Amino acid sequence: MSDAVAIRAPVARTESGKFWIVPPAALLALLFFYPLALIARQAFLDDSGVANFAEVIRVLHSRFFLNALINTVSISIAATAGCLVVGLVLALILAFVPFPRSGFIARLIDTFIALPTFLVTLAFTFLYGSAGMLNAGLMETFSLPLPPVDFLYSAWGVILAEVTVYTPFILRPLLAAFSLVDRGQIEAASVLGARPFRIVRQIILPAAIPALIAGGSLCLLLTVNEFGIVLFIGAKGVITLPLLIYGKAIQESAYQVACIIAVINIALSLGLFGLYRLAAGRLGA
């Protein structure tokens, strides 16, 4: 009898525990799936509820959408590549080049994660803008009639700002990966005459690949969906998918067009996340 009671008690607890999934599932459905369903409905149905795929095809073949898609992909890839290079160099210096207060420098770089993106773009405007410190100094020094530095209001300015903002997302997982590297292997390779570049290539980088994939994929997702930096810099002719959605919905009141582009942006983000999970699973990240 006691054994039967002991068996029934865990079963009862398991049955009652199933109901705890209802509150988070309902909250997720209300805050995520329902708005997503409304966006999809607005994208593929007209005001009368009839499927309107002709408008979807028209938007996908339009010049403004193709230009925004190309800008989004090219800027995100360039910014992610810049974050990988800068983050890897900084992580190597902070982890393997001893100097005083290296931990403080690493924590200081981490604070960029907590800062709003518009603060970085505002600082860049003060430094590199048409009336910024750099242009003002060059014009006064060399008596120039026009500002010589004008890269900020272009795609390069957006890329530089995104690299500055998102490099900590590469740096932090790399520092965690480098802390697990066996320093004895590095010392043994150095004693045997291996040059620093070979040590980095054969000992350090293999341990950093999962961290590079994780941080790089995160940067790619964030830069694909970046809105504030592109809007605040106001680069001439640089329209990305998030900025195009904002323009169509808020400025032109073309809600169906905005929802169509939003669905494409969501599909792009989910596709990138799926590729990241596939690559991370194969590499054991």
Side-chain angles (χ1 to χ4, degrees):
M1 178 65 69
S2 61
D3 292 340
V5 173
I7 292 174
R8 284 197 298 269
V11 173
R13 285 195 297 268
T14 303
E15 292 294 332
S16 62
K18 292 180 179 180
F19 294 101
W20 286 105
I21 197 176
V22 175
L27 187 64
L28 189 63
L30 179 64
L31 298 180
F32 178 73
F33 290 109
Y34 179 65
L36 188 61
L38 291 179
I39 293 174
R41 183 184 186 281
Q42 183 70 27
F44 297 106
L45 303 179
D46 57 19
D47 295 335
S48 60
V50 179
N52 188 9
F53 294 103
E55 181 66 11
V56 176
I57 295 174
R58 186 192 70 81
V59 171
L60 295 181
H61 286 84
S62 62
R63 175 66 62 180
F64 62 82
F65 170 76
L66 294 176
N67 288 339
L69 180 62
I70 292 172
N71 287 334
T72 301
V73 173
S74 59
I75 289 175
S76 61
I77 291 176
T80 301
C83 290
L84 288 172
V85 172
V86 176
L88 179 60
V89 172
L90 288 176
L92 288 172
I93 294 173
L94 292 173
F96 300 106
V97 180
F99 63 92
R101 309 294 291 176
S102 60
F104 171 76
I105 298 298
R107 289 190 295 271
L108 184 63
I109 295 175
D110 280 346
T111 58
F112 277 89
I113 298 176
L115 296 178
T117 57
F118 76 87
L119 286 181
V120 175
T121 54
L122 182 62
F124 276 22
T125 302
F126 287 141
L127 291 174
Y128 310 118
S130 299
M133 296 173 58
L134 179 60
N135 276 316
L138 292 175
M139 292 172 66
E140 182 178 356
T141 302
F142 300 101
S143 300
L144 300 175
L146 296 174
V149 179
D150 60 351
F151 74 92
L152 183 62
Y153 307 108
S154 66
W156 292 110
V158 176
I159 292 170
L160 180 61
E162 291 184 355
V163 169
T164 304
V165 170
Y166 294 119
T167 293
F169 291 93
I170 301 289
L171 181 63
R172 178 48 53 192
L174 279 177
L175 289 177
F178 289 162
S179 65
L180 302 177
V181 174
D182 187 2
R183 302 304 175 100
Q185 293 184 2
I186 298 177
E187 294 176 358
S190 179
V191 169
L192 294 174
R195 295 182 178 275
F197 179 77
R198 185 176 181 182
I199 294 175
V200 171
R201 180 169 55 86
Q202 295 186 350
I203 299 177
I204 298 176
L205 281 185
I209 288 178
L212 287 172
I213 292 175
S217 60
L218 179 59
C219 285
L220 191 61
L221 286 171
L222 292 173
T223 51
V224 162
N225 297 295
E226 177 58 44
F227 173 74
I229 290 176
V230 184
L231 178 66
F232 198 91
I233 287 182
K236 185 179 297 184
V238 180
I239 304 296
T240 59
L241 290 180
L243 197 61
L244 183 61
I245 296 169
Y246 169 80
K248 292 297 180 182
I250 305 302
Q251 298 176 343
E252 301 180 21
S253 298
Y255 297 112
Q256 184 177 6
V257 176
C259 289
I260 293 171
I261 301 170
V263 169
I264 300 300
N265 200 2
I266 293 170
L268 178 61
S269 299
L270 292 177
L272 290 174
F273 181 75
L275 290 176
Y276 154 65
R277 293 303 306 171
L278 178 62
R282 290 187 175 182
L283 292 171

